[in-house]
Amino acid sequence: MRPPAPSQSAPASRPGALLRSAGPVLALFATLLFGFVTSGCRPLPPADLVLHNGREPETIDPHLLTGQADGRIGSALFEGLTRYDPVTGNAIAGLAESWSLSPDGRSYTFTLRTNATWSTGQPITADDVVWSCQRAVDPKTAADYASQYFYIENGEAICNGAETNLARLGVIATSPRTVRIQLTNPTPFFLELLASRVFAVVPRATLEKYGDQWIRSPDLPCSGPYTLESWRVNDRIRLRANPHYWDAAHVRSKVVDVLAGDSAHTALNLYLAGDVDFIVDKDMFPTELAEALRARPDFHRYDYLGAYFVRFNCTRKPFTDPRVRRALALVINRPRIVERITRMQERPASHLVPFGTGGYTPPAGLEPDLPLARQLLAEAGYPGGAGFPPVEYAFNAESKLHEHIAVELQATFREALGVRIELRPLEWKTYLNNMSKLDYDMMRSSWIGDYNDPNTFLDLFLSNGGNNRTGWRDPEFDQLIHTANATLDRIRRFELLGQAEARLLRVGAPIVPLYSYVGFYALDTNRITGVHGNLLDEHPFWAIGRLPR
């Protein structure tokens, strides 16, 4: 990996000056400075803001991306009818200036802003919104997040191929500035759903001209607050403020460098040296320094809606048998994982949906029960682990955290059940590809909520959901989710979702939750403003800037 280039701008103050109070171990890292390896590239002029975003994006096509790092870039370039509030993470007006909801709760009418334009200066029209939605839900696009269109009339049928006429999607242009969206059922979180990347408006003419390479086309038309100026793989993406963006007056930083890299130590180094203003990604902190970092005034912890869990490939033996999946779930020591490995004060959790999600209380999953685990494994034909076939546990290798958790699980399964698993570290792109293709046995996974409702976690495991990626299909679970989301009474709806989550975790067990995330970011609030801890871990780049000196 080529190290990211340090910013050439002079910071107002250097975070490294705070090191003396944090102990010699951080001071050591501050001395390991990385030079700018140009590899024939000319150094860029200074940016107004330098962020470390974590790993290199797989794609920044907003309809195809899946990871958080990719999504942050995608939402800087492309916007939908709503966008995320940087303070609360809730949905606020985006390209739509206003909307109304029909009395039955099933039909939204959105009015586009008169100054909603592409970065080329051309107007964004209702037809652009309709075409973008049709593209996202089209099976040919193969968007993993297309299931978010299932709440819209004919969205699920189109995505699954039962309906082939894209024009029957319930997104209709009723005038050049008006879009009507017809829902299958009232959906209380729909405005939050619209803020997610898969609803972003993308440029039809550019996609049709350049095909799969459209995102790198010259003079790429963007609908969001920034345009793509340059992209140096494994180095940085440079964004420039879109002068035609409807809210350009409130875009704080005109030029933003978004650094990429897999090394947490490198990211921390650059921040401590003053060459990075803000470490956005929670994985870019060495876990062995957790206690020292938590004590610093420029490191900030907050709760947000994220879950870390293990996936089973339910199409491969021995994980075709739910007794095997439940047996492994019943021996995991979650408190040990968060106390000895993650060390950021995460909450151990046998449930998938984090506490506090939209006021929902999740049911407990499978808590440790060694006798029952051994009984289930024996009933499945593997008493004491005898005859258990060779299996692998896959994880993305750029983070030592995932490796340490993998080693812990490997030891637990061997000692408790006599089950031996091999560890398989994967490069990020291979990890994502194998997950999508169900080319794994067991795999570490995580999910960050797209909106503050338990459904953002539970509908992942619908039989036809693009993000299921376990091969698990359960019609009863599907029915509970569909019934819940057609139920207007909030208490009854949460009861149904609770039944669905209990079935997911205790009966089917295609996943095993380990813990709920906490947010953690590095930022000197005396220098940088516009970053707020919120439940969706959303920190829009347009809101972030340097304070006047």
Side-chain angles (χ1 to χ4, degrees):
M1 180 197 77
R2 187 173 72 231
S7 167
Q8 298 177 24
S9 57
S13 64
R14 298 177 69 84
L18 300 172
L19 287 172
R20 285 186 291 274
S21 64
V25 65
L26 285 181
L28 173 62
F29 284 113
T31 66
L32 303 176
L33 302 179
F34 290 80
F36 180 29
V37 182
T38 63
S39 300
C41 295
R42 193 171 53 199
L44 295 170
D48 299 322
L49 184 71
V50 183
L51 313 176
H52 200 294
N53 191 42
R55 63 180 67 89
E56 177 69 25
E58 170 79 4
T59 178
I60 54 176
D61 181 333
H63 295 169
L64 295 181
L65 56 82
T66 58
Q68 269 193 300
D70 308 39
R72 296 182 194 111
I73 304 294
S75 61
L77 299 174
F78 301 99
E79 188 166 282
L81 296 171
T82 63
R83 61 177 182 167
Y84 292 111
D85 185 314
V87 178
T88 65
N90 297 333
I92 56 175
L95 295 178
E97 66 180 6
S98 62
W99 51 83
S100 61
L101 179 62
S102 62
D104 66 358
R106 295 183 56 235
S107 182
Y108 278 92
T109 300
F110 294 88
T111 301
L112 297 183
R113 299 177 183 276
T114 56
N115 61 341
T117 59
W118 296 101
S119 54
T120 58
Q122 298 299 310
I124 295 174
T125 68
D127 285 338
D128 292 324
V129 176
V130 172
W131 186 86
S132 297
C133 290
Q134 291 177 354
R135 187 238 181 190
V137 79
D138 189 340
K140 294 177 183 176
T141 303
D144 283 344
Y145 275 76
S147 60
Q148 294 196 356
Y149 281 81
F150 288 7
Y151 306 97
I152 298 175
E153 193 172 78
N154 290 318
E156 185 170 7
I158 292 171
C159 184
N160 296 331
E163 172 60 65
T164 58
N165 184 358
L166 295 176
R168 296 203 63 195
L169 180 68
V171 182
I172 303 160
T174 57
S175 80
R177 290 184 51 226
T178 309
V179 177
R180 187 175 74 247
I181 299 182
Q182 189 68 35
L183 304 180
T184 304
N185 296 295
T187 306
F189 49 83
F190 187 66
L191 293 175
E192 278 66 36
L193 200 65
L194 282 180
S196 62
R197 283 78 174 175
V198 77
F199 286 95
V201 180
V202 296
R204 178 177 184 174
T206 303
L207 271 91
E208 291 178 341
K209 180 177 180 179
Y210 293 98
D212 291 344
Q213 299 303 310
W214 74 276
I215 202 71
R216 290 181 179 268
S217 64
D219 300 319
L220 173 68
C222 294
S223 57
Y226 288 94
T227 61
L228 179 63
E229 180 167 306
S230 62
W231 185 351
R232 296 180 181 176
V233 175
N234 290 323
D235 179 10
R236 69 185 60 212
I237 288 175
R238 171 156 286 198
L239 305 175
R240 186 169 293 275
N242 173 4
H244 296 286
Y245 180 56
W246 66 268
D247 197 25
H250 293 105
V251 176
R252 281 189 163 131
S253 299
K254 303 307 179 187
V255 180
V256 178
D257 275 354
V258 186
L259 306 192
D262 292 341
S263 170
H265 293 101
T266 301
L268 178 60
N269 235 0
L270 290 168
Y271 173 76
L272 294 175
D275 295 318
V276 163
D277 297 309
F278 174 30
I279 298 179
V280 190
D281 197 283
K282 67 186 181 321
D283 288 338
M284 291 295 102
F285 299 99
T287 56
E288 65 270 25
L289 301 178
E291 288 80 4
L293 294 176
R294 289 206 314 267
R296 289 173 54 101
D298 55 338
F299 283 72
H300 310 273
R301 179 195 177 279
Y302 58 98
D303 291 329
Y304 80 102
L305 305 183
Y308 192 108
F309 57 94
V310 176
R311 288 182 201 263
F312 295 110
N313 184 346
C314 300
T315 70
R316 281 189 184 177
K317 292 183 177 181
F319 302 122
T320 52
D321 191 329
R323 293 172 297 186
V324 172
R325 306 194 295 264
R326 292 199 294 268
L328 297 183
L330 286 164
V331 298
I332 294 174
N333 187 334
R334 297 175 179 89
R336 179 185 172 95
I337 290 172
V338 300
E339 291 165 9
R340 298 194 179 189
I341 300 176
T342 65
R343 293 188 285 184
M344 291 291 188
Q345 298 179 333
E346 293 87 349
R347 297 181 181 181
S350 64
H351 48 85
L352 175 65
V353 181
F355 277 119
T357 304
Y360 166 84
T361 300
L366 295 172
E367 302 286 355
D369 187 333
L370 182 57
L372 178 58
R374 289 174 173 169
Q375 175 187 329
L376 288 171
L377 197 65
E379 290 175 358
Y382 309 107
F388 200 87
V391 296
E392 294 180 332
Y393 178 87
F395 58 94
N396 47 311
E398 77 278 357
S399 170
K400 286 293 183 183
L401 172 69
H402 305 321
E403 179 182 349
H404 295 330
I405 291 175
V407 170
E408 168 70 16
L409 294 176
Q410 181 187 49
T412 296
F413 297 148
R414 182 181 65 249
E415 294 165 7
L417 298 174
V419 167
R420 297 183 179 275
I421 63 172
E422 297 297 323
L423 304 186
R424 189 183 183 194
L426 299 173
E427 185 266 342
W428 175 245
K429 292 184 179 181
T430 304
Y431 164 83
L432 290 179
N433 185 57
N434 288 12
M435 187 190 300
S436 295
K437 292 167 55 180
L438 289 182
D439 185 15
Y440 71 92
D441 299 321
M442 304 171 62
M443 180 174 277
R444 92 92 198 163
S445 294
S446 61
W447 190 259
I448 311 303
D450 293 305
Y451 46 94
N452 189 11
D453 187 274
N455 191 72
T456 190
F457 292 92
L458 297 178
D459 77 348
L460 298 178
F461 300 100
L462 290 169
S463 296
N464 294 321
N467 283 302
N468 184 318
R469 302 173 189 163
T470 64
W472 181 68
R473 303 173 71 89
D474 186 88
E476 187 169 336
F477 174 85
D478 296 348
Q479 187 58 52
L480 284 166
I481 295 294
H482 289 313
T483 302
N485 288 328
T487 300
L488 295 180
D489 181 84
R490 182 171 179 268
I491 295 175
R492 177 57 181 158
R493 178 172 177 266
F494 280 2
E495 288 175 353
L496 292 167
L497 290 176
Q499 292 174 30
E501 183 170 10
R503 184 169 182 82
L504 171 75
L505 301 174
R506 301 176 195 162
V507 180
I511 63 166
V512 183
L514 300 186
Y515 59 85
S516 299
Y517 276 126
V518 293
F520 198 60
Y521 63 84
L523 180 137
D524 182 352
T525 55
N526 294 315
R527 299 176 58 240
I528 305 297
T529 187
V531 179
H532 308 270
N534 56 66
L535 285 176
L536 293 183
D537 196 33
E538 288 291 341
H539 312 292
F541 295 168
W542 60 265
I544 307 171
R546 283 192 179 144
L547 291 167
R549 300 182 183 181

PDB file of all heavy atoms in Angstrom, residues 225-238:
ATOM      1  N   PRO A 225     -23.458  17.871  -3.043  1.00  0.00           N
ATOM      2  CA  PRO A 225     -22.720  19.086  -2.684  1.00  0.00           C
ATOM      3  C   PRO A 225     -21.309  19.177  -3.260  1.00  0.00           C
ATOM      4  O   PRO A 225     -20.718  20.253  -3.260  1.00  0.00           O
ATOM      5  CB  PRO A 225     -22.682  19.048  -1.159  1.00  0.00           C
ATOM      6  CG  PRO A 225     -22.884  17.617  -0.804  1.00  0.00           C
ATOM      7  CD  PRO A 225     -23.768  17.043  -1.863  1.00  0.00           C
ATOM      8  N   TYR A 226     -20.768  18.055  -3.751  1.00  0.00           N
ATOM      9  CA  TYR A 226     -19.399  18.056  -4.263  1.00  0.00           C
ATOM     10  C   TYR A 226     -19.330  17.426  -5.652  1.00  0.00           C
ATOM     11  O   TYR A 226     -20.223  16.677  -6.062  1.00  0.00           O
ATOM     12  CB  TYR A 226     -18.460  17.298  -3.311  1.00  0.00           C
ATOM     13  CG  TYR A 226     -18.171  18.043  -2.034  1.00  0.00           C
ATOM     14  CD1 TYR A 226     -18.927  17.815  -0.894  1.00  0.00           C
ATOM     15  CD2 TYR A 226     -17.161  19.002  -1.980  1.00  0.00           C
ATOM     16  CE1 TYR A 226     -18.678  18.521   0.272  1.00  0.00           C
ATOM     17  CE2 TYR A 226     -16.901  19.708  -0.813  1.00  0.00           C
ATOM     18  CZ  TYR A 226     -17.664  19.471   0.303  1.00  0.00           C
ATOM     19  OH  TYR A 226     -17.417  20.171   1.453  1.00  0.00           O
ATOM     20  N   THR A 227     -18.239  17.733  -6.346  1.00  0.00           N
ATOM     21  CA  THR A 227     -17.896  17.079  -7.603  1.00  0.00           C
ATOM     22  C   THR A 227     -16.595  16.303  -7.402  1.00  0.00           C
ATOM     23  O   THR A 227     -15.830  16.584  -6.471  1.00  0.00           O
ATOM     24  CB  THR A 227     -17.715  18.092  -8.741  1.00  0.00           C
ATOM     25  OG1 THR A 227     -16.643  18.993  -8.408  1.00  0.00           O
ATOM     26  CG2 THR A 227     -18.992  18.888  -8.961  1.00  0.00           C
ATOM     27  N   LEU A 228     -16.374  15.346  -8.280  1.00  0.00           N
ATOM     28  CA  LEU A 228     -15.173  14.506  -8.193  1.00  0.00           C
ATOM     29  C   LEU A 228     -14.061  15.140  -9.026  1.00  0.00           C
ATOM     30  O   LEU A 228     -14.125  15.155 -10.248  1.00  0.00           O
ATOM     31  CB  LEU A 228     -15.491  13.098  -8.706  1.00  0.00           C
ATOM     32  CG  LEU A 228     -14.346  12.086  -8.703  1.00  0.00           C
ATOM     33  CD1 LEU A 228     -13.858  11.823  -7.285  1.00  0.00           C
ATOM     34  CD2 LEU A 228     -14.801  10.781  -9.361  1.00  0.00           C
ATOM     35  N   GLU A 229     -13.051  15.682  -8.353  1.00  0.00           N
ATOM     36  CA  GLU A 229     -11.953  16.328  -9.066  1.00  0.00           C
ATOM     37  C   GLU A 229     -10.880  15.330  -9.474  1.00  0.00           C
ATOM     38  O   GLU A 229     -10.367  15.378 -10.589  1.00  0.00           O
ATOM     39  CB  GLU A 229     -11.341  17.437  -8.217  1.00  0.00           C
ATOM     40  CG  GLU A 229     -10.194  18.154  -8.916  1.00  0.00           C
ATOM     41  CD  GLU A 229      -9.793  19.429  -8.216  1.00  0.00           C
ATOM     42  OE1 GLU A 229     -10.672  20.279  -7.986  1.00  0.00           O
ATOM     43  OE2 GLU A 229      -8.603  19.571  -7.898  1.00  0.00           O
ATOM     44  N   SER A 230     -10.502  14.427  -8.561  1.00  0.00           N
ATOM     45  CA  SER A 230      -9.479  13.428  -8.893  1.00  0.00           C
ATOM     46  C   SER A 230      -9.616  12.242  -7.950  1.00  0.00           C
ATOM     47  O   SER A 230     -10.198  12.342  -6.873  1.00  0.00           O
ATOM     48  CB  SER A 230      -8.071  14.027  -8.786  1.00  0.00           C
ATOM     49  OG  SER A 230      -7.799  14.455  -7.463  1.00  0.00           O
ATOM     50  N   TRP A 231      -9.045  11.113  -8.385  1.00  0.00           N
ATOM     51  CA  TRP A 231      -9.102   9.880  -7.597  1.00  0.00           C
ATOM     52  C   TRP A 231      -7.798   9.127  -7.795  1.00  0.00           C
ATOM     53  O   TRP A 231      -7.547   8.578  -8.864  1.00  0.00           O
ATOM     54  CB  TRP A 231     -10.301   9.029  -8.042  1.00  0.00           C
ATOM     55  CG  TRP A 231     -10.533   7.791  -7.218  1.00  0.00           C
ATOM     56  CD1 TRP A 231      -9.741   7.254  -6.250  1.00  0.00           C
ATOM     57  CD2 TRP A 231     -11.665   6.914  -7.327  1.00  0.00           C
ATOM     58  NE1 TRP A 231     -10.300   6.119  -5.736  1.00  0.00           N
ATOM     59  CE2 TRP A 231     -11.480   5.887  -6.376  1.00  0.00           C
ATOM     60  CE3 TRP A 231     -12.803   6.914  -8.130  1.00  0.00           C
ATOM     61  CZ2 TRP A 231     -12.404   4.846  -6.225  1.00  0.00           C
ATOM     62  CZ3 TRP A 231     -13.710   5.889  -7.967  1.00  0.00           C
ATOM     63  CH2 TRP A 231     -13.519   4.868  -7.030  1.00  0.00           C
ATOM     64  N   ARG A 232      -6.963   9.150  -6.789  1.00  0.00           N
ATOM     65  CA  ARG A 232      -5.716   8.382  -6.802  1.00  0.00           C
ATOM     66  C   ARG A 232      -5.938   7.144  -5.937  1.00  0.00           C
ATOM     67  O   ARG A 232      -6.060   7.255  -4.713  1.00  0.00           O
ATOM     68  CB  ARG A 232      -4.556   9.206  -6.257  1.00  0.00           C
ATOM     69  CG  ARG A 232      -4.207  10.428  -7.107  1.00  0.00           C
ATOM     70  CD  ARG A 232      -3.033  11.178  -6.490  1.00  0.00           C
ATOM     71  NE  ARG A 232      -2.688  12.348  -7.266  1.00  0.00           N
ATOM     72  CZ  ARG A 232      -1.745  13.228  -6.914  1.00  0.00           C
ATOM     73  NH1 ARG A 232      -1.075  13.048  -5.774  1.00  0.00           N
ATOM     74  NH2 ARG A 232      -1.479  14.268  -7.667  1.00  0.00           N
ATOM     75  N   VAL A 233      -6.000   5.997  -6.559  1.00  0.00           N
ATOM     76  CA  VAL A 233      -6.319   4.760  -5.862  1.00  0.00           C
ATOM     77  C   VAL A 233      -5.304   4.505  -4.748  1.00  0.00           C
ATOM     78  O   VAL A 233      -4.098   4.677  -4.925  1.00  0.00           O
ATOM     79  CB  VAL A 233      -6.361   3.579  -6.851  1.00  0.00           C
ATOM     80  CG1 VAL A 233      -6.581   2.263  -6.118  1.00  0.00           C
ATOM     81  CG2 VAL A 233      -7.458   3.805  -7.894  1.00  0.00           C
ATOM     82  N   ASN A 234      -5.830   4.109  -3.593  1.00  0.00           N
ATOM     83  CA  ASN A 234      -5.032   3.852  -2.392  1.00  0.00           C
ATOM     84  C   ASN A 234      -4.261   5.079  -1.925  1.00  0.00           C
ATOM     85  O   ASN A 234      -3.262   4.954  -1.218  1.00  0.00           O
ATOM     86  CB  ASN A 234      -4.075   2.674  -2.599  1.00  0.00           C
ATOM     87  CG  ASN A 234      -4.794   1.360  -2.691  1.00  0.00           C
ATOM     88  OD1 ASN A 234      -5.777   1.138  -1.993  1.00  0.00           O
ATOM     89  ND2 ASN A 234      -4.330   0.477  -3.565  1.00  0.00           N
ATOM     90  N   ASP A 235      -4.732   6.248  -2.296  1.00  0.00           N
ATOM     91  CA  ASP A 235      -4.125   7.485  -1.823  1.00  0.00           C
ATOM     92  C   ASP A 235      -5.225   8.426  -1.351  1.00  0.00           C
ATOM     93  O   ASP A 235      -5.471   8.546  -0.157  1.00  0.00           O
ATOM     94  CB  ASP A 235      -3.301   8.117  -2.944  1.00  0.00           C
ATOM     95  CG  ASP A 235      -2.647   9.438  -2.529  1.00  0.00           C
ATOM     96  OD1 ASP A 235      -2.679   9.770  -1.334  1.00  0.00           O
ATOM     97  OD2 ASP A 235      -2.111  10.134  -3.415  1.00  0.00           O
ATOM     98  N   ARG A 236      -5.925   9.074  -2.315  1.00  0.00           N
ATOM     99  CA  ARG A 236      -6.941  10.035  -1.914  1.00  0.00           C
ATOM    100  C   ARG A 236      -7.918  10.301  -3.042  1.00  0.00           C
ATOM    101  O   ARG A 236      -7.607  10.139  -4.223  1.00  0.00           O
ATOM    102  CB  ARG A 236      -6.302  11.343  -1.482  1.00  0.00           C
ATOM    103  CG  ARG A 236      -5.663  12.135  -2.622  1.00  0.00           C
ATOM    104  CD  ARG A 236      -4.936  13.364  -2.095  1.00  0.00           C
ATOM    105  NE  ARG A 236      -3.891  12.959  -1.175  1.00  0.00           N
ATOM    106  CZ  ARG A 236      -3.499  13.691  -0.129  1.00  0.00           C
ATOM    107  NH1 ARG A 236      -4.072  14.847   0.111  1.00  0.00           N
ATOM    108  NH2 ARG A 236      -2.546  13.270   0.669  1.00  0.00           N
ATOM    109  N   ILE A 237      -9.103  10.705  -2.641  1.00  0.00           N
ATOM    110  CA  ILE A 237     -10.095  11.260  -3.546  1.00  0.00           C
ATOM    111  C   ILE A 237     -10.212  12.742  -3.211  1.00  0.00           C
ATOM    112  O   ILE A 237     -10.347  13.107  -2.041  1.00  0.00           O
ATOM    113  CB  ILE A 237     -11.460  10.571  -3.382  1.00  0.00           C
ATOM    114  CG1 ILE A 237     -11.395   9.147  -3.963  1.00  0.00           C
ATOM    115  CG2 ILE A 237     -12.569  11.366  -4.058  1.00  0.00           C
ATOM    116  CD1 ILE A 237     -12.656   8.341  -3.746  1.00  0.00           C
ATOM    117  N   ARG A 238     -10.102  13.575  -4.248  1.00  0.00           N
ATOM    118  CA  ARG A 238     -10.263  15.015  -4.028  1.00  0.00           C
ATOM    119  C   ARG A 238     -11.640  15.441  -4.507  1.00  0.00           C
ATOM    120  O   ARG A 238     -12.024  15.181  -5.649  1.00  0.00           O
ATOM    121  CB  ARG A 238      -9.172  15.814  -4.730  1.00  0.00           C
ATOM    122  CG  ARG A 238      -9.429  17.314  -4.712  1.00  0.00           C
ATOM    123  CD  ARG A 238      -8.184  18.156  -4.849  1.00  0.00           C
ATOM    124  NE  ARG A 238      -7.385  18.154  -3.617  1.00  0.00           N
ATOM    125  CZ  ARG A 238      -6.439  19.073  -3.349  1.00  0.00           C
ATOM    126  NH1 ARG A 238      -6.185  20.049  -4.215  1.00  0.00           N
ATOM    127  NH2 ARG A 238      -5.760  19.004  -2.229  1.00  0.00           N
TER     128      ARG A 238
END
